[in-house]
Amino acid sequence: MRGDGVDENKKRAGGEPLLESEGRARLQPSSIDVARLAGVSQSAVSRAFTTGASVSKKTREKVIAAARELGYQPSILPRILVTHRSQLIAIVIGGMYNPYYAQIFELFTRQFQSLGYQVLVFFVDHNEYFDAAIPLIMRYRVDGIISALSILSKEAADECAHMRIPVVLFNGRQQNKWVSAVCCDNVEGGRQIANLLFQKGGSRFAYIAGKETLANTDRQAGFVGRLRELGVDEVEIIQGDFHYEGGYAAAKEMFASENRPDAVFCANDLTAIGVLECARFEFGLRIPEDIMIAGFDDASFSAWPSYGLTTIQQNAGEMVDAAIGLLKQRWQEGATTAGRLKLVPGILKDRKSTLR
């Protein structure tokens, strides 16, 4: 075996020596193979695939041509060992049944790819801690973690800090030196809906809750708290689950009462659409004459003419930008500063479901 990776005892039919990868069945070609075919050194191959490295145009073209012929793609492992950066971002997400979070995922993916990063996706159940995913994520040497809709316990947050991996929670508030958060101002959003329904003449109020998440808790607190300030002490609370079906079922229970509410705020838009359709098709109620309905998120379907749903728009673009900005700050500063919390105000969208 020669030092350039070619075994002199292994020849092609025409007498040419086999490349290193040709002596190993079904293995990917190596940088040694590319160097041999291009007639350059292995270090030249490495420089040709490294952005900003010193290599002549002619050499780069020879290397690229040889790599294309062999089907060679450089491995990121050597770069990780040298730079300690993988250019990989883990996105932990649940709740993809909700079009709003599908939009969030797409925005994150596009943004990171435009910055030269690739995204690894880890799915967890909605409203579940993603602690169990942490060991799996750690295997990939990711440069950062975005937790979109998923919850990080204090113990898992401490583990991420120990591994010195920056984490940004999306609509969460857990913080430490390596964990930051970006969150819609859910409390203020709930207050805005309370003001609107009260001003439009609502007299019997209800809140259809989601699962026990920070977002749900804050939306309910803002709604109920503002109504109390306005002199409304009784607000019916019915448990939902953030799904259309949960909203529909909650509405059947709520509207069966003789003293049914005439102003309903729902934890999210999917719930609100379930309530709206139940009101129309199960009870023959008119929207908004008999009952006003509002949601939260401003999912894509909310503005459709058949719904015209009043809602609080979570500013998805600004929230994604803020989350990526928090990651960048952590990469630049290391652990020299505490984790940050960025609150992004929601935007009230007053549509026909409350148009009295």
Side-chain angles (χ1 to χ4, degrees):
M1 175 72 74
R2 285 178 5 201
D4 58 8
V6 177
D7 191 335
E8 288 287 2
N9 295 318
K10 295 181 179 179
K11 305 284 186 178
R12 293 194 185 94
E16 289 294 317
L18 289 172
L19 297 176
E20 182 188 43
S21 59
E22 292 177 301
R24 300 170 299 174
R26 298 183 182 178
L27 293 183
Q28 293 295 321
S30 70
S31 60
I32 296 175
D33 297 336
V34 176
R36 174 75 173 173
L37 185 60
V40 299
S41 66
Q42 189 178 3
S43 62
V45 174
S46 177
R47 292 196 303 274
F49 283 101
T50 302
T51 303
S54 176
V55 60
S56 71
K57 180 181 178 181
K58 182 178 179 181
T59 298
R60 187 188 302 277
E61 289 174 349
K62 289 168 62 177
V63 169
I64 297 302
R68 185 179 295 112
E69 180 177 339
L70 294 172
Y72 169 79
Q73 289 293 333
S75 171
I76 66 170
L77 294 178
R79 184 182 65 195
I80 294 175
L81 295 174
V82 172
T83 66
H84 303 289
R85 297 287 293 274
S86 66
Q87 302 294 109
L88 297 175
I89 302 294
I91 295 184
V92 185
I93 193 166
M96 290 293 280
Y97 59 85
N98 187 339
Y100 172 75
Y101 281 96
Q103 176 192 8
I104 291 296
F105 174 70
E106 180 178 351
L107 285 173
F108 270 123
T109 301
R110 289 183 180 275
Q111 288 266 37
F112 279 122
Q113 288 183 348
S114 71
L115 295 171
Y117 290 85
Q118 295 302 316
V119 168
L120 298 177
V121 184
F122 297 84
F123 284 99
V124 298
D125 289 337
H126 181 205
N127 195 39
E128 296 293 333
Y129 287 97
F130 75 83
D131 300 33
I134 294 296
L136 179 60
I137 294 173
M138 298 302 183
R139 297 178 190 174
Y140 290 90
R141 297 280 296 270
V142 297
D143 291 341
I145 300 173
I146 297 286
S147 168
L149 191 65
S150 307
I151 308 168
L152 185 68
S153 70
K154 182 181 183 304
E155 293 74 21
D158 291 342
E159 177 64 17
C160 291
H162 178 71
M163 297 296 292
R164 303 175 69 83
I165 296 177
V167 179
V168 176
L169 302 182
F170 199 84
N171 265 338
R173 287 188 184 173
Q174 184 72 255
Q175 293 169 262
N176 62 32
K177 285 186 176 181
W178 286 87
V179 179
S180 299
V182 59
C183 191
C184 180
D185 194 340
N186 293 294
V187 173
E188 179 57 28
R191 291 176 63 84
Q192 290 185 65
I193 295 294
N195 284 332
L196 180 72
L197 296 180
F198 185 83
Q199 292 165 4
K200 294 289 183 77
S203 58
R204 298 182 302 279
F205 297 87
Y207 178 72
I208 310 298
K211 293 183 179 180
E212 289 303 313
T213 64
L214 174 67
N216 175 76
T217 300
D218 284 355
R219 291 167 194 177
Q220 178 177 330
F223 181 65
V224 173
R226 178 56 183 154
L227 286 174
R228 286 176 179 166
E229 293 173 4
L230 293 169
V232 179
D233 293 325
E234 293 187 12
V235 178
E236 184 177 4
I237 308 295
I238 299 180
Q239 187 63 49
D241 58 4
F242 287 124
H243 288 73
Y244 170 93
E245 294 80 5
Y248 202 102
K252 288 185 71 172
E253 173 188 344
M254 180 174 60
F255 294 144
S257 169
E258 293 182 359
N259 194 33
R260 65 170 181 255
D262 62 1
V264 180
F265 175 37
C266 302
N268 72 346
D269 289 348
L270 274 177
T271 301
I273 296 302
V275 173
L276 186 150
E277 294 203 326
C278 179
R280 284 176 175 167
F281 300 115
E282 294 278 349
F283 295 89
L285 298 174
R286 298 169 301 163
I287 314 298
E289 292 85 357
D290 297 326
I291 178 171
M292 295 182 290
I293 300 173
F296 206 107
D297 284 343
D298 196 28
S300 58
F301 55 76
S302 300
W304 292 356
S306 56
Y307 300 134
L309 181 67
T310 292
T311 187
I312 296 292
Q313 180 188 77
Q314 295 199 68
N315 194 328
E318 184 176 346
M319 293 179 70
V320 168
D321 287 344
I324 294 175
L326 289 170
L327 268 187
K328 288 180 177 179
Q329 288 178 350
R330 179 57 65 222
W331 290 331
Q332 294 167 0
E333 299 169 359
T336 59
T337 59
R340 294 175 171 87
L341 171 63
K342 170 71 173 178
L343 274 180
V344 177
I347 302 169
L348 177 63
K349 297 291 183 178
D350 187 5
R351 300 190 177 113
K352 70 179 184 180
S353 69
T354 59
L355 190 60
R356 284 186 175 174

